[in-house]
Amino acid sequence: MQSPPSEEERKGASTLGADTPQVTARAKVLGRALYAGDIKLAGMLHGKVLRSPYPSARIVSIDASAALALPGVKAVLTGAEAPRAMWGVHHKERRILAEGVVRFAGEEVAAVAAVSEDIARDALDLIRVEYEELPAILTTDEALDEEAPGIHPGRNNVSHEIRFTRGDIDAGFASAHLIHEATYDCHAQYPGYLEPMGTVASIDPDGRLVVWTSTQSVTQARLRLAAALERPISSIRVIQATTGGGFGGKMVEDANNLIAGLLAVKTGKPVRVVNNRLEDFLACCSSVPERVTLKLGMSADGTIVAKDVRIVAECGAYSGLSAEVMHVSAMRSDNMHRNPNVRSHATLVYTNNPPHGAFRGFGGTQMQFALNSHIDTMARMLGLDPVDIHQRNAIGQGEVSIHGWQIGSTGLVECIAQAAQAIGWKDKRGAPKAPGPKRRGVGMAAAMHVSGNRTIGNWDGSTVVIKVNEDGRLFILSGECDMGQGAMTMLSQIVSHELDLPISHVYVQAPDTDTSPIAIGSLASRVTIAAGNAAIVAAGMVRDKLFALAARQWSVPTDSLKLEGGFVIAPERRATIAELAKLHVWTYGGEGIQVSGTWDAKTVMHDDKVYGNIAPAYSFAAQAVEVEVDTETGKVTVLDSFVSDDCGKALNPTAIHGQTNGATVQAFGWALYEQLQLEGGRLMNGNFADYTMATADAVPMLRGGFVESNDPNGPYGAKGASETAILPGAPAIANAVFDAVGVRITTLPITPEKVLAALAAQREENVHA
């Protein structure tokens, strides 16, 4: 007979609300976790990709004969050998391998499969491509010129446009005591995950394509593979390999797994395609650059009465998810305030630069930089504290926003207060500036994000399958991907809590489209609220099956039963889950205990006027920072930072602190250091030596706290906690720089050169004042 859990195992079975190590941590730190690049199959070939050196050119001819003649080369594919289908998110406009023309420097032109990576790389050098270089359009101004040629045939260079108006914008501005307008420029940021994109693709004995890949959604990956390779969906199996970070970059915009799949189909052999870092810089979508012109009206007490936004965003050569990103920039920040009058006009523009797309924060970072910088500026004009303005305008629990968002919970006001207090806001902001070249200042910013998003079809749910094994331990099957944020741990915590089992008795299987339920994937901070609720439903179904069997066996009512420490207990009887699980199988008409629990948010897709409650919950955050500005060198150093995160309920404080700290460092990088250097459309710094990310010595001891607003729709009150914390960092730093030295930097990143130039302009202005 299977032994029940020991006393030690039963002790403190529930980990909800407690610091809990990631269930994947041991395999990772011991080097046992299998990333796509670690997978080795018999007869496996190695794939490499030849990329265009030009941002815009006509492909005159391709001669692959010398590459094909190289010993060890098994295939060389060009656009002529690839399927005719176009792929993309909404605009199907991209080929797996370019044919006829290339539209950005780095676009995939040919792919090689060889018996070793070195031979594949040598074969690339033997492919002769004759190009006719064409004029490249490298800025949005050039692209929007009436005489500019269309980057894509049959259309102009506007990929997408958004317009909406709420309320009476003219009356709102007419009532304002102060109106301020400014333009802010936000640049692209590379995701910077540790693991570059990687895929192993193979043809199984039945002719099906099996793909192990680094992805945020196995479901979306399979759909895209089926469409691009022109194969039935059921002929493709996608398994998520251990994924070393995603940050939006591993959703549906990278061609890595498409090329691996194509090479496997053409050769009939397993093929491994793993980007090196330069290839990943060229292939992965960076965040969407945007120019935001913001006009805001306020009353004398700081109440926001009107908001007018104009955005010009750049998607690069292909639109991908950039339209959705721009949509977020255009309207999400409207919902954190009570402002009744808003107008927005956003335009997404093609260029011949590398494509942009999804990135952590998904369009919120760009607009929050503009909005929070603007509020700080106007607060100073009105002689008010920006903390007070944010709190005065913050939307409250139970309110409906201007776009129809129903706010079930919010800790925004509390987040602002917590961050301000932690940084010593009142004392430091009012203190006189010390003499000398190094000046200190404080800044703050606030933000909101979604937990879920009903925009991919009319579904924003999740399904969790639980299988009870004969030893009383559980397998969880979910299609939601863990890319390091802790999805597997969260599911383990919830199921072990609901069934009062040790977390070690619960195992979450890697997402696999052959066995896992369909899932949208890890995006829009939706996994905790969607999959977490589905796990509660599924665990309840397991409990019901165990209780029904025990009640029948013992002739007792089900309401007299309880689960405790691995036992089902009646007033005078008890049995382990293992005993009941075996009995459930080995009896007449029996079956294994396997249940499927589904949860779908009670939300609505927005209408054609972008109105509708699209998410089951909304997350909020605030950040306060202290910086030091060296007026002789222009260097900005962040001395202190505190992020307050309204995560609803902290199911795993350690994991949320980790997510918050990671987001904070990415925000520091975007604000101060990171910048993709393009010359003539070509990337000049596609490596970690030249692409300057925030390192440990550039980051202070990161501090933070939670506000637990306990959302009514979240599992135990929880909501998303992976993205909101990235949003306020850049404007908080920009506001602190102004507080320190009195110059407003509106173009990111805030480099020493920009600070020195602004200080010089300030001195010149003072001389002529």
Side-chain angles (χ1 to χ4, degrees), residues 184 186 336 364-377 380 386 390 425 441-448 621-627 664 667-668 670-672 724-739 743-746 748 750:
Y184 303 85
C186 304
M336 64 188 282
T365 47
Q366 294 91 326
M367 189 62 215
Q368 291 294 357
F369 172 64
L371 179 60
N372 279 279
S373 298
H374 220 71
I375 288 174
D376 188 82
T377 299
R380 293 175 184 277
H390 278 286
W425 177 262
V442 291
M444 63 83 55
M448 79 174 304
Q623 182 171 358
V625 301
E626 182 177 13
V627 306
T664 301
F668 286 0
W670 189 56
L672 296 174
T724 321
I726 199 174
L727 303 175
I733 291 171
N735 293 338
V737 168
F738 187 93
D739 187 54
V743 296
R744 174 68 59 186
I745 307 298
T746 57
L748 294 177
I750 304 172

Short mmCIF file of all heavy atoms in Angstrom, two decimals, residues 184 186 336 364-377 380 386 390 425 441-448 621-627 664 667-668 670-672 724-739 743-746 748 750:
data_model
loop_
_atom_site.label_atom_id
_atom_site.label_comp_id
_atom_site.label_asym_id
_atom_site.label_seq_id
_atom_site.Cartn_x
_atom_site.Cartn_y
_atom_site.Cartn_z
N TYR A 184 7.60 63.69 -26.84
CA TYR A 184 8.54 62.77 -26.20
C TYR A 184 8.93 61.69 -27.21
O TYR A 184 8.05 61.15 -27.91
CB TYR A 184 7.90 62.13 -24.96
CG TYR A 184 7.43 63.15 -23.95
CD1 TYR A 184 6.16 63.74 -24.08
CD2 TYR A 184 8.23 63.53 -22.89
CE1 TYR A 184 5.72 64.68 -23.16
CE2 TYR A 184 7.80 64.48 -21.96
CZ TYR A 184 6.54 65.04 -22.10
OH TYR A 184 6.11 65.99 -21.20
N CYS A 186 10.64 57.98 -27.76
CA CYS A 186 10.99 56.72 -27.11
C CYS A 186 11.64 55.79 -28.12
O CYS A 186 11.11 55.59 -29.22
CB CYS A 186 9.75 56.05 -26.52
SG CYS A 186 8.85 57.09 -25.36
N MET A 336 -6.28 55.02 -16.00
CA MET A 336 -5.81 55.14 -14.61
C MET A 336 -6.29 56.44 -13.96
O MET A 336 -6.12 56.64 -12.75
CB MET A 336 -4.29 55.03 -14.54
CG MET A 336 -3.52 56.12 -15.24
SD MET A 336 -1.73 55.78 -15.30
CE MET A 336 -1.23 56.24 -13.65
N GLY A 364 2.91 50.26 -22.88
CA GLY A 364 2.67 51.10 -21.72
C GLY A 364 3.86 51.96 -21.37
O GLY A 364 3.72 53.10 -20.92
N THR A 365 5.07 51.42 -21.57
CA THR A 365 6.28 52.18 -21.21
C THR A 365 6.35 53.50 -21.97
O THR A 365 6.68 54.55 -21.40
CB THR A 365 7.53 51.34 -21.50
OG1 THR A 365 7.42 50.75 -22.80
CG2 THR A 365 7.70 50.24 -20.48
N GLN A 366 6.06 53.46 -23.27
CA GLN A 366 6.20 54.65 -24.10
C GLN A 366 5.27 55.76 -23.62
O GLN A 366 5.68 56.91 -23.42
CB GLN A 366 5.91 54.31 -25.57
CG GLN A 366 6.91 53.36 -26.21
CD GLN A 366 6.54 51.90 -26.08
OE1 GLN A 366 5.96 51.47 -25.08
NE2 GLN A 366 6.87 51.10 -27.07
N MET A 367 4.00 55.42 -23.42
CA MET A 367 3.04 56.45 -23.03
C MET A 367 3.24 56.89 -21.58
O MET A 367 3.06 58.07 -21.24
CB MET A 367 1.62 55.93 -23.24
CG MET A 367 0.55 56.99 -23.07
SD MET A 367 0.72 58.31 -24.29
CE MET A 367 0.22 59.71 -23.32
N GLN A 368 3.62 55.97 -20.72
CA GLN A 368 3.82 56.36 -19.32
C GLN A 368 5.03 57.28 -19.16
O GLN A 368 5.05 58.13 -18.27
CB GLN A 368 3.96 55.11 -18.43
CG GLN A 368 2.69 54.30 -18.29
CD GLN A 368 1.58 55.03 -17.54
OE1 GLN A 368 1.74 56.14 -17.06
NE2 GLN A 368 0.41 54.39 -17.43
N PHE A 369 6.04 57.13 -20.02
CA PHE A 369 7.15 58.07 -19.99
C PHE A 369 6.64 59.48 -20.28
O PHE A 369 6.96 60.44 -19.58
CB PHE A 369 8.22 57.67 -20.99
CG PHE A 369 9.32 58.70 -21.16
CD1 PHE A 369 10.14 59.02 -20.09
CD2 PHE A 369 9.50 59.35 -22.37
CE1 PHE A 369 11.15 59.98 -20.23
CE2 PHE A 369 10.50 60.31 -22.52
CZ PHE A 369 11.32 60.62 -21.44
N ALA A 370 5.83 59.59 -21.32
CA ALA A 370 5.29 60.90 -21.69
C ALA A 370 4.36 61.44 -20.60
O ALA A 370 4.49 62.59 -20.15
CB ALA A 370 4.56 60.80 -23.02
N LEU A 371 3.41 60.64 -20.17
CA LEU A 371 2.38 61.11 -19.25
C LEU A 371 2.97 61.51 -17.89
O LEU A 371 2.65 62.57 -17.34
CB LEU A 371 1.31 60.03 -19.07
CG LEU A 371 0.17 60.36 -18.11
CD1 LEU A 371 -0.60 61.59 -18.56
CD2 LEU A 371 -0.77 59.16 -17.97
N ASN A 372 3.84 60.67 -17.34
CA ASN A 372 4.40 60.97 -16.03
C ASN A 372 5.36 62.14 -16.07
O ASN A 372 5.44 62.93 -15.13
CB ASN A 372 5.08 59.72 -15.46
CG ASN A 372 4.11 58.75 -14.83
OD1 ASN A 372 3.70 58.92 -13.69
ND2 ASN A 372 3.73 57.72 -15.58
N SER A 373 6.12 62.27 -17.17
CA SER A 373 6.98 63.46 -17.32
C SER A 373 6.12 64.71 -17.39
O SER A 373 6.45 65.75 -16.79
CB SER A 373 7.82 63.33 -18.59
OG SER A 373 8.70 62.22 -18.54
N HIS A 374 5.02 64.62 -18.10
CA HIS A 374 4.11 65.74 -18.29
C HIS A 374 3.47 66.16 -16.96
O HIS A 374 3.39 67.37 -16.66
CB HIS A 374 3.02 65.30 -19.28
CG HIS A 374 2.63 66.34 -20.27
ND1 HIS A 374 3.44 66.75 -21.29
CD2 HIS A 374 1.48 67.06 -20.40
CE1 HIS A 374 2.82 67.66 -22.02
NE2 HIS A 374 1.62 67.87 -21.49
N ILE A 375 3.02 65.18 -16.19
CA ILE A 375 2.37 65.50 -14.91
C ILE A 375 3.36 66.17 -13.97
O ILE A 375 3.02 67.13 -13.26
CB ILE A 375 1.77 64.22 -14.28
CG1 ILE A 375 0.53 63.80 -15.08
CG2 ILE A 375 1.42 64.44 -12.81
CD1 ILE A 375 -0.07 62.48 -14.64
N ASP A 376 4.61 65.69 -13.95
CA ASP A 376 5.62 66.32 -13.11
C ASP A 376 5.87 67.77 -13.54
O ASP A 376 5.97 68.67 -12.69
CB ASP A 376 6.92 65.51 -13.20
CG ASP A 376 7.97 65.98 -12.21
OD1 ASP A 376 7.90 65.57 -11.04
OD2 ASP A 376 8.86 66.77 -12.61
N THR A 377 5.94 67.98 -14.85
CA THR A 377 6.16 69.34 -15.36
C THR A 377 5.01 70.26 -14.96
O THR A 377 5.22 71.39 -14.48
CB THR A 377 6.27 69.30 -16.90
OG1 THR A 377 7.39 68.50 -17.26
CG2 THR A 377 6.46 70.69 -17.47
N ARG A 380 4.86 71.29 -11.25
CA ARG A 380 5.77 72.40 -10.93
C ARG A 380 5.19 73.74 -11.39
O ARG A 380 5.33 74.75 -10.70
CB ARG A 380 7.13 72.14 -11.56
CG ARG A 380 7.85 70.94 -10.96
CD ARG A 380 9.15 70.59 -11.67
NE ARG A 380 9.74 69.38 -11.11
CZ ARG A 380 10.49 69.33 -10.02
NH1 ARG A 380 10.75 70.46 -9.35
NH2 ARG A 380 10.97 68.19 -9.58
N PRO A 386 3.55 66.44 -7.43
CA PRO A 386 3.02 65.43 -8.36
C PRO A 386 2.39 64.23 -7.65
O PRO A 386 1.48 63.60 -8.20
CB PRO A 386 4.24 65.01 -9.19
CG PRO A 386 5.43 65.47 -8.41
CD PRO A 386 4.99 66.68 -7.65
N HIS A 390 -1.25 62.82 -8.79
CA HIS A 390 -1.53 61.42 -9.11
C HIS A 390 -2.65 60.86 -8.23
O HIS A 390 -3.57 60.18 -8.71
CB HIS A 390 -0.26 60.58 -8.95
CG HIS A 390 0.67 60.63 -10.12
ND1 HIS A 390 0.40 59.98 -11.30
CD2 HIS A 390 1.86 61.25 -10.29
CE1 HIS A 390 1.40 60.19 -12.15
NE2 HIS A 390 2.29 60.97 -11.57
N TRP A 425 10.29 61.14 0.32
CA TRP A 425 9.89 62.11 -0.70
C TRP A 425 9.76 63.53 -0.15
O TRP A 425 10.34 64.47 -0.70
CB TRP A 425 8.58 61.65 -1.33
CG TRP A 425 8.00 62.58 -2.35
CD1 TRP A 425 7.02 63.52 -2.17
CD2 TRP A 425 8.40 62.68 -3.72
NE1 TRP A 425 6.77 64.18 -3.34
CE2 TRP A 425 7.61 63.68 -4.31
CE3 TRP A 425 9.34 62.02 -4.50
CZ2 TRP A 425 7.71 64.05 -5.65
CZ3 TRP A 425 9.46 62.37 -5.84
CH2 TRP A 425 8.65 63.38 -6.40
N GLY A 441 18.47 64.52 -6.83
CA GLY A 441 17.06 64.83 -6.99
C GLY A 441 16.22 63.58 -6.86
O GLY A 441 16.72 62.46 -6.99
N VAL A 442 14.94 63.76 -6.60
CA VAL A 442 14.01 62.63 -6.49
C VAL A 442 12.92 62.79 -7.54
O VAL A 442 12.56 63.90 -7.94
CB VAL A 442 13.39 62.52 -5.08
CG1 VAL A 442 14.44 62.09 -4.06
CG2 VAL A 442 12.73 63.81 -4.67
N GLY A 443 12.41 61.66 -7.99
CA GLY A 443 11.32 61.66 -8.96
C GLY A 443 10.41 60.48 -8.72
O GLY A 443 10.82 59.47 -8.12
N MET A 444 9.18 60.59 -9.16
CA MET A 444 8.25 59.47 -9.02
C MET A 444 7.37 59.37 -10.25
O MET A 444 7.26 60.31 -11.05
CB MET A 444 7.40 59.61 -7.75
CG MET A 444 6.46 60.81 -7.68
SD MET A 444 4.86 60.57 -8.53
CE MET A 444 4.26 59.08 -7.73
N ALA A 445 6.77 58.22 -10.40
CA ALA A 445 5.84 57.98 -11.51
C ALA A 445 4.89 56.86 -11.10
O ALA A 445 5.19 56.06 -10.22
CB ALA A 445 6.60 57.61 -12.78
N ALA A 446 3.74 56.82 -11.75
CA ALA A 446 2.74 55.80 -11.48
C ALA A 446 2.25 55.21 -12.79
O ALA A 446 2.39 55.81 -13.86
CB ALA A 446 1.56 56.40 -10.69
N ALA A 447 1.68 54.00 -12.72
CA ALA A 447 1.29 53.32 -13.95
C ALA A 447 0.23 52.27 -13.67
O ALA A 447 0.00 51.87 -12.52
CB ALA A 447 2.51 52.67 -14.61
N MET A 448 -0.39 51.81 -14.76
CA MET A 448 -1.32 50.68 -14.67
C MET A 448 -1.08 49.72 -15.82
O MET A 448 -0.47 50.08 -16.84
CB MET A 448 -2.78 51.16 -14.71
CG MET A 448 -3.31 51.50 -16.10
SD MET A 448 -5.07 51.90 -16.13
CE MET A 448 -5.83 50.45 -15.40
N ALA A 621 1.08 50.26 -10.22
CA ALA A 621 2.39 50.36 -9.58
C ALA A 621 2.81 51.81 -9.49
O ALA A 621 2.34 52.66 -10.25
CB ALA A 621 3.44 49.55 -10.35
N ALA A 622 3.72 52.08 -8.58
CA ALA A 622 4.34 53.39 -8.48
C ALA A 622 5.81 53.19 -8.12
O ALA A 622 6.18 52.21 -7.48
CB ALA A 622 3.65 54.26 -7.42
N GLN A 623 6.63 54.14 -8.57
CA GLN A 623 8.06 54.05 -8.29
C GLN A 623 8.59 55.42 -7.92
O GLN A 623 8.22 56.43 -8.52
CB GLN A 623 8.82 53.52 -9.51
CG GLN A 623 10.32 53.34 -9.28
CD GLN A 623 11.00 52.62 -10.43
OE1 GLN A 623 10.34 52.22 -11.40
NE2 GLN A 623 12.30 52.44 -10.34
N ALA A 624 9.45 55.45 -6.93
CA ALA A 624 10.16 56.67 -6.56
C ALA A 624 11.65 56.38 -6.59
O ALA A 624 12.09 55.30 -6.16
CB ALA A 624 9.74 57.15 -5.17
N VAL A 625 12.42 57.31 -7.12
CA VAL A 625 13.87 57.12 -7.23
C VAL A 625 14.59 58.37 -6.74
O VAL A 625 14.03 59.47 -6.74
CB VAL A 625 14.31 56.82 -8.68
CG1 VAL A 625 13.63 55.58 -9.22
CG2 VAL A 625 14.05 58.01 -9.60
N GLU A 626 15.83 58.17 -6.34
CA GLU A 626 16.74 59.27 -6.09
C GLU A 626 17.94 59.10 -7.00
O GLU A 626 18.50 58.00 -7.11
CB GLU A 626 17.21 59.30 -4.63
CG GLU A 626 18.13 60.49 -4.34
CD GLU A 626 18.55 60.57 -2.88
OE1 GLU A 626 18.34 59.58 -2.14
OE2 GLU A 626 19.10 61.62 -2.48
N VAL A 627 18.31 60.18 -7.69
CA VAL A 627 19.45 60.12 -8.61
C VAL A 627 20.48 61.17 -8.23
O VAL A 627 20.19 62.12 -7.51
CB VAL A 627 19.02 60.35 -10.08
CG1 VAL A 627 17.92 59.37 -10.49
CG2 VAL A 627 18.60 61.79 -10.32
N THR A 664 12.48 46.47 -13.08
CA THR A 664 13.09 47.75 -12.71
C THR A 664 14.43 47.94 -13.42
O THR A 664 14.73 49.02 -13.94
CB THR A 664 13.29 47.81 -11.18
OG1 THR A 664 12.01 47.67 -10.54
CG2 THR A 664 13.92 49.12 -10.76
N ALA A 667 13.93 48.78 -16.97
CA ALA A 667 13.53 50.18 -17.10
C ALA A 667 14.74 51.10 -16.96
O ALA A 667 14.87 52.09 -17.70
CB ALA A 667 12.48 50.52 -16.05
N PHE A 668 15.64 50.79 -16.03
CA PHE A 668 16.87 51.58 -15.91
C PHE A 668 17.66 51.54 -17.23
O PHE A 668 18.18 52.56 -17.68
CB PHE A 668 17.77 51.01 -14.80
CG PHE A 668 17.29 51.30 -13.40
CD1 PHE A 668 16.13 52.02 -13.15
CD2 PHE A 668 18.00 50.82 -12.31
CE1 PHE A 668 15.70 52.27 -11.86
CE2 PHE A 668 17.58 51.07 -11.01
CZ PHE A 668 16.43 51.79 -10.78
N TRP A 670 16.58 50.99 -20.30
CA TRP A 670 15.89 51.76 -21.35
C TRP A 670 16.06 53.26 -21.11
O TRP A 670 16.26 54.03 -22.05
CB TRP A 670 14.42 51.38 -21.35
CG TRP A 670 13.62 51.92 -22.50
CD1 TRP A 670 13.87 51.76 -23.83
CD2 TRP A 670 12.41 52.68 -22.41
NE1 TRP A 670 12.90 52.36 -24.58
CE2 TRP A 670 11.98 52.94 -23.74
CE3 TRP A 670 11.63 53.14 -21.36
CZ2 TRP A 670 10.82 53.66 -24.02
CZ3 TRP A 670 10.47 53.85 -21.64
CH2 TRP A 670 10.07 54.11 -22.95
N ALA A 671 15.99 53.65 -19.85
CA ALA A 671 16.05 55.08 -19.53
C ALA A 671 17.44 55.67 -19.71
O ALA A 671 17.57 56.82 -20.14
CB ALA A 671 15.58 55.30 -18.09
N LEU A 672 18.49 54.90 -19.40
CA LEU A 672 19.82 55.49 -19.29
C LEU A 672 20.88 54.94 -20.23
O LEU A 672 21.81 55.67 -20.59
CB LEU A 672 20.34 55.31 -17.85
CG LEU A 672 19.56 56.02 -16.75
CD1 LEU A 672 20.11 55.63 -15.38
CD2 LEU A 672 19.62 57.54 -16.92
N THR A 724 3.83 45.35 -14.79
CA THR A 724 3.51 46.70 -14.35
C THR A 724 4.73 47.45 -13.85
O THR A 724 4.88 48.65 -14.07
CB THR A 724 2.43 46.67 -13.26
OG1 THR A 724 1.46 45.66 -13.56
CG2 THR A 724 1.73 48.00 -13.14
N ALA A 725 5.64 46.71 -13.19
CA ALA A 725 6.78 47.37 -12.54
C ALA A 725 7.77 47.97 -13.53
O ALA A 725 8.62 48.78 -13.13
CB ALA A 725 7.50 46.38 -11.62
N ILE A 726 7.71 47.61 -14.81
CA ILE A 726 8.64 48.20 -15.78
C ILE A 726 8.19 49.59 -16.22
O ILE A 726 8.97 50.38 -16.74
CB ILE A 726 8.81 47.29 -17.02
CG1 ILE A 726 10.10 47.66 -17.79
CG2 ILE A 726 7.60 47.34 -17.93
CD1 ILE A 726 10.42 46.72 -18.94
N LEU A 727 6.92 49.91 -16.01
CA LEU A 727 6.33 51.09 -16.62
C LEU A 727 6.78 52.43 -16.01
O LEU A 727 7.02 53.39 -16.75
CB LEU A 727 4.80 50.99 -16.58
CG LEU A 727 4.20 49.75 -17.24
CD1 LEU A 727 2.69 49.72 -17.02
CD2 LEU A 727 4.52 49.69 -18.71
N PRO A 728 6.91 52.56 -14.70
CA PRO A 728 7.20 53.90 -14.16
C PRO A 728 8.69 54.26 -14.09
O PRO A 728 9.02 55.40 -13.75
CB PRO A 728 6.60 53.84 -12.75
CG PRO A 728 6.63 52.41 -12.37
CD PRO A 728 6.52 51.62 -13.64
N GLY A 729 9.60 53.34 -14.39
CA GLY A 729 11.02 53.58 -14.15
C GLY A 729 11.60 54.74 -14.92
O GLY A 729 12.26 55.63 -14.35
N ALA A 730 11.41 54.77 -16.24
CA ALA A 730 12.02 55.83 -17.06
C ALA A 730 11.51 57.21 -16.69
O ALA A 730 12.32 58.15 -16.50
CB ALA A 730 11.78 55.54 -18.54
N PRO A 731 10.19 57.42 -16.55
CA PRO A 731 9.76 58.78 -16.17
C PRO A 731 10.17 59.15 -14.75
O PRO A 731 10.44 60.33 -14.48
CB PRO A 731 8.23 58.72 -16.31
CG PRO A 731 7.88 57.27 -16.26
CD PRO A 731 9.04 56.55 -16.87
N ALA A 732 10.23 58.19 -13.84
CA ALA A 732 10.68 58.52 -12.48
C ALA A 732 12.11 59.05 -12.53
O ALA A 732 12.46 60.04 -11.85
CB ALA A 732 10.59 57.29 -11.58
N ILE A 733 12.95 58.42 -13.34
CA ILE A 733 14.34 58.88 -13.47
C ILE A 733 14.39 60.25 -14.14
O ILE A 733 15.12 61.15 -13.70
CB ILE A 733 15.17 57.84 -14.26
CG1 ILE A 733 15.35 56.57 -13.42
CG2 ILE A 733 16.53 58.42 -14.66
CD1 ILE A 733 15.96 55.41 -14.16
N ALA A 734 13.64 60.43 -15.22
CA ALA A 734 13.62 61.73 -15.90
C ALA A 734 13.15 62.83 -14.96
O ALA A 734 13.70 63.95 -14.96
CB ALA A 734 12.72 61.65 -17.14
N ASN A 735 12.15 62.53 -14.16
CA ASN A 735 11.66 63.54 -13.21
C ASN A 735 12.69 63.84 -12.13
O ASN A 735 12.82 64.99 -11.68
CB ASN A 735 10.35 63.06 -12.58
CG ASN A 735 9.21 62.98 -13.58
OD1 ASN A 735 9.24 63.64 -14.62
ND2 ASN A 735 8.20 62.17 -13.28
N ALA A 736 13.43 62.81 -11.72
CA ALA A 736 14.48 63.03 -10.71
C ALA A 736 15.63 63.85 -11.28
O ALA A 736 16.22 64.68 -10.57
CB ALA A 736 14.98 61.69 -10.20
N VAL A 737 15.96 63.63 -12.55
CA VAL A 737 17.00 64.43 -13.20
C VAL A 737 16.59 65.90 -13.20
O VAL A 737 17.39 66.80 -12.90
CB VAL A 737 17.28 63.92 -14.63
CG1 VAL A 737 18.14 64.91 -15.41
CG2 VAL A 737 17.96 62.56 -14.58
N PHE A 738 15.34 66.16 -13.53
CA PHE A 738 14.87 67.56 -13.51
C PHE A 738 14.94 68.13 -12.10
O PHE A 738 15.36 69.28 -11.91
CB PHE A 738 13.44 67.65 -14.04
CG PHE A 738 12.97 69.07 -14.18
CD1 PHE A 738 13.11 69.75 -15.39
CD2 PHE A 738 12.42 69.76 -13.11
CE1 PHE A 738 12.71 71.08 -15.51
CE2 PHE A 738 12.01 71.08 -13.22
CZ PHE A 738 12.16 71.74 -14.43
N ASP A 739 14.54 67.33 -11.12
CA ASP A 739 14.58 67.81 -9.74
C ASP A 739 16.01 68.13 -9.32
O ASP A 739 16.24 69.07 -8.56
CB ASP A 739 13.98 66.74 -8.82
CG ASP A 739 13.83 67.23 -7.39
OD1 ASP A 739 13.20 68.28 -7.18
OD2 ASP A 739 14.36 66.56 -6.48
N VAL A 743 16.74 70.36 -15.77
CA VAL A 743 16.60 70.19 -17.21
C VAL A 743 15.67 69.00 -17.48
O VAL A 743 15.74 67.97 -16.81
CB VAL A 743 17.96 69.97 -17.92
CG1 VAL A 743 18.83 71.21 -17.77
CG2 VAL A 743 18.69 68.75 -17.40
N ARG A 744 14.80 69.18 -18.45
CA ARG A 744 13.82 68.16 -18.80
C ARG A 744 14.28 67.42 -20.05
O ARG A 744 14.34 68.00 -21.13
CB ARG A 744 12.46 68.82 -19.05
CG ARG A 744 11.37 67.90 -19.56
CD ARG A 744 10.93 66.89 -18.53
NE ARG A 744 10.42 67.50 -17.31
CZ ARG A 744 10.09 66.80 -16.22
NH1 ARG A 744 10.22 65.48 -16.23
NH2 ARG A 744 9.67 67.43 -15.14
N ILE A 745 14.63 66.14 -19.91
CA ILE A 745 15.03 65.31 -21.03
C ILE A 745 13.79 64.59 -21.54
O ILE A 745 13.17 63.80 -20.81
CB ILE A 745 16.12 64.30 -20.64
CG1 ILE A 745 17.31 65.01 -19.97
CG2 ILE A 745 16.58 63.51 -21.86
CD1 ILE A 745 18.03 66.01 -20.85
N THR A 746 13.43 64.84 -22.79
CA THR A 746 12.22 64.26 -23.35
C THR A 746 12.51 63.20 -24.42
O THR A 746 11.57 62.64 -25.00
CB THR A 746 11.33 65.36 -23.97
OG1 THR A 746 12.08 66.06 -24.96
CG2 THR A 746 10.86 66.33 -22.91
N LEU A 748 14.58 59.69 -24.97
CA LEU A 748 15.35 58.61 -24.34
C LEU A 748 16.38 58.05 -25.31
O LEU A 748 16.20 58.13 -26.52
CB LEU A 748 14.39 57.50 -23.89
CG LEU A 748 13.41 57.87 -22.77
CD1 LEU A 748 12.48 56.71 -22.48
CD2 LEU A 748 14.15 58.29 -21.49
N ILE A 750 18.51 58.82 -21.55
CA ILE A 750 19.04 60.03 -20.93
C ILE A 750 20.55 59.87 -20.82
O ILE A 750 21.08 59.42 -19.80
CB ILE A 750 18.38 60.27 -19.55
CG1 ILE A 750 16.85 60.32 -19.71
CG2 ILE A 750 18.90 61.56 -18.92
CD1 ILE A 750 16.10 60.35 -18.39
#
